Amino acid sequence: MKQLYIDFDGVILDTMTKSYETLKATGIDPKDQKKAMEFFRNVDWQKLISETDVINDSINEIKKICDSKKFNVYILTHINSTNEMIEKIKFLHKVLPQVTVVSVPKEISKTEVVNPSAAILIDDYSGNLKEWQKKLGIAIKFVRNYENSDFPEITHLSEVIGMFNQ
Ligand SMILES: [Mg+2]
């Protein structure tokens, strides 16, 4: 079975759209790095997750991937705080109890926490995908609308099932 890592923010839940709205509403300039980082460290993730939409039926899409028995599935997510890690794990264990969650501190590359070699990463951020490819991993970009990027693109997570025959 292939190792399959799936990003959380912007792939499973639309947390970034929601938290940027809140950031702007509080009057913080998103370009003010220091204040923005402090804001993100202090986000109430229980509240954020409860108010955030699931993207393109992602939870059911991941269940389909697990049912295909083609992949070892992990959620690989960057975190800014312990609260963020705890609330993401609690949420994922409730909706996807069969899936392992790997949390990566924001300051560290995802490629330094897991071994990308011959493993698949589905992520909405090209920066993460570039690093993944450099370390001989297979990069797939999750998009809402096709972007013609440098990576194979999918709009629904279960599309990955048909991309690998083994
Ligand atoms: Mg993301």
Side-chain angles (χ1 to χ4, degrees):
M1 287 212 277
K2 265 196 155 10
Q3 303 295 100
L4 170 60
Y5 295 96
I6 302 173
D7 177 34
F8 185 86
D9 303 294
V11 174
I12 296 175
L13 291 191
D14 200 8
T15 47
M16 287 301 108
T17 307
K18 184 80 199 167
S19 53
Y20 269 101
E21 274 171 21
T22 315
L23 176 74
K24 278 192 203 145
T26 56
I28 296 168
D29 178 2
K31 289 187 198 115
D32 186 338
Q33 287 259 354
K34 218 174 151 193
K35 280 196 178 149
M37 279 207 16
E38 196 186 323
F39 169 84
F40 283 114
R41 268 200 302 271
N42 290 312
V43 168
D44 177 347
W45 274 83
Q46 188 174 21
K47 185 164 178 282
L48 177 61
I49 287 173
S50 73
E51 291 173 345
T52 301
D53 295 329
V54 169
I55 301 168
N56 292 356
D57 205 27
S58 62
I59 303 296
N60 288 320
E61 291 284 304
I62 293 171
K63 286 179 187 162
K64 283 186 213 166
I65 294 171
C66 293
D67 290 345
S68 79
K69 302 228 159 34
K70 280 186 168 181
F71 307 94
N72 287 318
V73 182
Y74 303 84
I75 308 304
L76 184 60
T77 184
H78 268 132
I79 51 144
N80 292 286
S81 67
T82 310
N83 170 260
E84 178 174 352
M85 175 169 77
I86 290 168
E87 294 305 327
K88 282 176 171 174
I89 290 171
K90 276 204 236 166
F91 169 76
L92 287 164
H93 279 185
K94 195 170 61 192
V95 295
L96 292 166
Q98 66 273 59
V99 167
T100 300
V101 183
V102 182
S103 302
V104 180
K106 190 73 191 168
E107 296 81 358
I108 296 175
S109 168
K110 290 182 177 185
T111 63
E112 292 187 57
V113 175
V114 298
N115 181 5
S117 179
I120 306 159
L121 173 66
I122 303 176
D123 204 298
D124 65 325
Y125 176 53
S126 292
N128 288 338
L129 296 170
K130 269 183 210 146
E131 287 174 5
W132 196 260
Q133 262 185 348
K134 248 190 255 165
K135 301 257 178 94
L136 307 180
I138 302 159
I140 299 173
K141 184 157 191 178
F142 183 87
V143 296
R144 312 292 188 93
N145 301 296
Y146 293 108
E147 295 174 1
N148 221 344
S149 69
D150 295 337
F151 306 99
E153 296 176 358
I154 59 174
T155 59
H156 289 78
L157 290 170
S158 70
E159 289 172 55
V160 72
I161 300 169
M163 295 169 82
F164 298 90
N165 297 309
Q166 63 204 116

